[in-house]
Amino acid sequence: MTSSISRRRFGVLAGAATASALLPGGAFAQAKTLTALGHRVHQTAATTGPGGDATEGFRKANDANVNWVTFGDVNAVHERLLREASLSETSIDVAYLVNGRAVPRNLQLFEPLDALMKQAPIEAFDDFAPGLLAPLKVGDALHGIPVRHATNALIYNEALLEERGVTKVPTTFEELTELARKLTFKRDDGTQVYGLAFTAVFASNFLTLARCLGGDYMTSDGKIVAAEPPMVKTLTLLAGFYKAGVLPRNFATVNNEEITTWMQQGRAAMTINPFARLVTYNDASKGKYGGRFKSLLPPMATDLAGKVAFAPTVEFWSLMIPKNARQKPLSWEFIRALSSKAGTTAMALNGNGPVRISTYADEKLKAAMPYAADEAAALKASRIHLPAFDEQARAHDIFIEETQAAVLGRKPAQQAMDDATARVKPLLG
């Protein structure tokens, strides 16, 4: 049954509706609600801490509320997100996606942002770290805006360096390897101290060292270089470390919580971890070495110093708008607010890894993060562990499997990387 309303009658009704929207308790007085999906730390970083609520300006300017849907597990976030984005319509307006899931097949589920960017630009877009933008493109179309990062550094306990008579930090990769050996020792009470300890399940940790020698698993344009001399040399070195006890005996299974405990207890002298771990390590209530942990960008090998720039490994989260979302202009305003200079700084003060280089110059942030200058330099030169392609996750697992086989002495390093290359190549399509 079809009903019709005269233009005059429609105008009266529309006027009444507009009036009621302006009245407290009116039928249309309710604020809009934007639903954001992510990890619990994303909500905390955006709303809670010394930086204040970074969503406040967005909420006031748009008369909107933010409904957070969060999980404590990264996989749970992406299972829900990718399922929602595959439906004909979703109630999720904006979501966080980690770079490991930002592969072409997934990115195409999210709105290309170029048109929105043209209509309402993001403030000082050239301020974002360049290594965080390229992985978010399919062709020339940008599908996400970086919002949080974790960039790897070498973290060391300066008290243990002093204990072993070391007076300066290494300036070449060769000096770093000698330092790792020197910091491996057994105390009088029988406690074993490892010169280096890191989790063996992330390609980024191995690449933090391999890139000092010019090594990599794959180049940014998708070429597999794992079996070339620099990567093989790195794994041969690590296999020697493992055999000599520089790396822990349970190297393949140790997790980050254990690494944190070992660092705080002085059972490990150096680790590869994001800069942000310094806050936890330097917590004086968790061990006797509070305040003694420092960061260092791993130095390049002598023959590469000044010729090849070190590229720290980085993991990052981005804000995306599902293609099937219903409030895309509102979603874009949320993204613009959080990725503005003020939003980035507020979240950084709340513990978020800031994706803008200029944020590190903020005086409050420098006071809270003594390592701010080092992290800024690292972020500016950073690059993700593997290029984005649809089978990236499977390729990552293969590289790790073969890398562990080499380090644990189950295969010669060259054979392990030859095998990895043969197994990954078919995944590139």
Side-chain angles (χ1 to χ4, degrees), residues 418-429:
D418 285 342
D419 292 347
T421 300
R423 295 172 65 190
V424 171
K425 193 170 290 185
L427 303 180
L428 298 178

Side-chain angles (χ1 to χ4, degrees), residues 72-316:
D73 177 75
V74 173
N75 289 327
V77 172
H78 292 100
E79 286 171 10
R80 173 70 182 274
L81 172 57
L82 296 176
R83 183 171 66 248
E84 290 279 346
S86 300
L87 301 174
S88 59
E89 189 177 86
T90 179
S91 61
I92 302 302
D93 296 301
V94 65
Y96 291 77
L97 186 80
V98 76
N99 67 278
R101 303 296 183 96
V103 298
R105 178 176 56 216
N106 291 340
L107 287 178
Q108 291 175 31
L109 295 172
F110 300 95
E111 188 74 8
L113 302 176
D114 303 87
L116 290 165
M117 182 91 73
K118 188 174 182 179
Q119 294 168 10
I122 284 178
E123 178 186 11
F125 194 64
D126 58 356
D127 189 23
F128 287 87
L132 308 186
L133 293 172
L136 299 174
K137 292 184 177 182
V138 177
D140 293 327
L142 182 68
H143 290 261
I145 302 297
V147 72
R148 174 187 177 89
H149 81 92
T151 301
N152 268 356
L154 189 75
I155 298 176
Y156 64 94
N157 185 337
E158 65 178 359
L160 293 189
L161 269 67
E162 293 171 2
E163 186 177 338
R164 298 295 287 167
V166 178
T167 57
K168 67 182 185 71
V169 296
T171 57
T172 66
F173 185 74
E174 291 79 6
E175 290 178 355
L176 175 60
T177 61
E178 289 307 309
L179 178 61
R181 294 186 178 97
K182 189 174 183 64
L183 293 174
T184 302
F185 64 100
K186 187 172 287 188
R187 288 205 172 90
D188 293 339
D189 63 3
T191 301
Q192 178 64 50
V193 178
Y194 300 106
L196 179 65
F198 60 89
T199 53
V201 295
F202 300 116
S204 57
N205 290 341
F206 293 102
L207 292 178
T208 297
L209 299 176
R211 289 177 180 177
C212 295
L213 294 170
D216 233 314
Y217 290 120
M218 295 178 67
T219 61
S220 298
D221 59 0
K223 180 185 176 184
I224 304 174
V225 292
E228 294 184 5
M231 193 72 208
V232 172
K233 184 176 180 180
T234 303
L235 298 187
T236 301
L237 170 73
L238 289 174
F241 274 5
Y242 181 73
K243 188 174 182 180
V246 176
L247 296 170
R249 300 311 300 170
N250 61 339
F251 171 72
T253 58
V254 65
N255 60 43
N256 252 333
E257 287 67 31
E258 291 172 295
I259 297 292
T260 296
T261 299
W262 290 359
M263 292 293 286
Q264 291 171 327
Q265 293 178 349
R267 294 172 54 200
M270 297 189 294
T271 187
I272 297 166
N273 251 306
F275 283 91
R277 285 275 172 174
L278 281 164
V279 176
T280 302
Y281 294 164
N282 278 319
D283 185 344
S285 69
K286 301 293 177 61
K288 64 179 181 178
Y289 296 105
R292 301 306 306 275
F293 292 96
K294 298 290 189 292
S295 60
L296 173 70
L297 274 184
M300 294 295 291
T302 303
D303 62 339
L304 296 177
K307 302 175 185 175
V308 178
F310 178 68
T313 54
V314 63
E315 299 285 333
F316 67 98

Side-chain angles (χ1 to χ4, degrees), residues 46-66:
T47 62
T48 308
D53 187 347
T55 72
E56 183 178 4
F58 159 79
R59 291 186 287 104
K60 288 182 176 178
N62 295 278
D63 188 24
N65 298 316
V66 180

